[in-house]
Amino acid sequence: MNQVYFRFYAELNDFLPTERRNFGFVHTLDKNPSVKDSIEALGVPHTEIDLILVNGESVDFAYLLQDGSRISVYPVFEAIDITPLLRVRPQPLREICFILDVHLGKLANYLRLFGFDTWYRNDYEDAELAQISSSEKRILLTRDMGLLKRSLVTYGYFLRETNPKRQLREILRRFDLFRLISPFRRCINCNGSVHSVDKADIREQVQADTLQYYERFSRCDDCGKIYWQGSHYKKMQAFVEEVME
């Protein structure tokens, strides 16, 4: 049996038992597994990791651990550009877009409200989520660590919060999205793009009293849902302003 020395940094400690948080510890190996398999066996999803150093050298997930290795594991660096050191994943995504598991419907609505491309269905199977995340280069958001450990998933994040509003703020902070907020440009219903539409063009789709009291309307390009600035819009606008502040 081989022994190695692990040290996890910052929020990666969220996944470890209390006695292993913020300390180096010895871990016993069976043969010479990959560093990815060893890390996930300890409970940390590979999608949370940006940098792995083994004996001071940056390695990829396939690196095979040897007896006596010292492994330092780091989360995403938000304030420091470590691109020249990265070995564990491809280049950063050009555009931020998401796919959410079946338990995050409310969060999906909030992300769409704030203008972010967000795929969600309440009947996705885990295998579908992993496949879509991989093929469409979408960040998979979930509270299911087993889902994030699937080999197909390159971009993913484990939500610490359980309340949808706090989850929204967590995502905006984690991926530094405040400057990209563009509310009311996506359909909350289906994620399609929403554009202004002439009042005359939707006369047959909206009740007469709504047409009488409102002048500005928008319509989803995909599902055809009609939006106008009624009392519900004002509540959503207040919520957007509160979060942005």
Side-chain angles (χ1 to χ4, degrees):
M1 303 293 283
N2 296 330
Q3 288 188 327
V4 296
Y5 303 87
F6 270 103
R7 173 72 159 86
F8 290 84
Y9 289 85
E11 61 263 31
L12 296 182
N13 286 279
D14 294 347
F15 300 101
L16 300 175
T18 304
E19 65 273 12
R20 288 184 165 181
R21 292 179 182 175
N22 303 303
F23 294 99
F25 58 88
V26 175
H27 180 60
T28 302
L29 303 176
D30 182 13
K31 298 181 181 179
N32 299 102
S34 70
V35 67
K36 174 179 179 292
D37 288 344
S38 296
I39 287 171
E40 293 200 321
L42 291 168
V44 181
H46 69 275
T47 53
E48 298 281 322
I49 297 165
D50 228 17
L51 178 66
I52 303 172
L53 300 180
V54 177
N55 301 324
E57 297 291 330
S58 180
V59 301
D60 63 17
F61 284 128
Y63 181 90
L64 299 180
L65 294 177
Q66 306 296 321
D67 186 35
S69 294
R70 292 184 174 274
I71 306 104
S72 300
V73 190
Y74 298 86
V76 174
F77 287 76
E78 297 178 352
I80 303 173
D81 182 8
I82 62 165
T83 303
L85 297 175
L86 295 183
R87 300 288 185 272
V88 299
R89 69 181 72 255
Q91 291 297 314
L93 295 171
R94 290 184 178 181
E95 295 183 5
I96 296 291
C97 55
F98 300 100
I99 182 167
L100 278 60
D101 79 15
V102 298
H103 304 292
L104 301 175
K106 192 67 173 180
L107 175 60
N109 288 345
Y110 286 153
L111 287 169
R112 290 170 178 174
L113 170 63
F114 279 70
F116 297 105
D117 184 352
T118 305
W119 282 14
Y120 169 81
R121 279 203 336 246
N122 62 6
D123 60 350
Y124 276 132
E125 298 290 339
D126 285 0
E128 286 183 281
L129 289 166
Q131 178 60 50
I132 294 170
S133 174
S134 175
S135 62
E136 301 292 335
K137 293 183 171 57
R138 290 179 174 271
I139 299 169
L140 176 56
L141 301 181
T142 182
R143 283 186 50 79
D144 181 349
M145 283 193 287
L147 180 54
L148 288 180
K149 290 180 181 179
R150 287 178 173 254
S151 59
L152 269 179
V153 181
T154 301
Y155 303 101
Y157 179 71
F158 179 83
L159 288 156
R160 276 64 165 179
E161 297 286 357
T162 56
N163 176 275
K165 289 185 178 180
R166 290 199 294 269
Q167 288 175 336
L168 171 66
R169 291 184 172 92
E170 179 182 354
I171 294 302
L172 294 175
R173 288 192 299 268
R174 169 62 177 74
F175 295 100
D176 192 20
L177 298 179
F178 285 95
R179 60 188 174 81
L180 300 178
I181 291 173
S182 182
F184 305 108
R185 72 183 185 93
R186 287 197 173 272
C187 178
I188 294 176
N189 186 52
C190 77
N191 195 47
S193 296
V194 173
H195 293 100
S196 297
V197 63
D198 191 277
K199 188 175 180 177
D201 294 338
I202 47 90
R203 189 170 298 276
E204 302 300 322
Q205 300 171 263
V206 179
Q207 293 183 356
D209 56 347
T210 301
L211 290 169
Q212 179 181 354
Y213 289 109
Y214 300 99
E215 295 296 327
R216 299 174 63 183
F217 294 85
S218 299
R219 179 169 57 196
C220 174
D221 296 341
D222 292 348
C223 72
K225 182 176 176 64
I226 307 296
Y227 293 90
W228 59 90
Q229 297 184 3
S231 58
H232 187 53
Y233 170 88
K234 293 177 181 178
K235 291 179 182 178
M236 291 191 296
Q237 180 66 45
F239 174 53
V240 169
E241 291 175 356
E242 175 191 345
V243 171
M244 292 181 70
E245 288 176 357

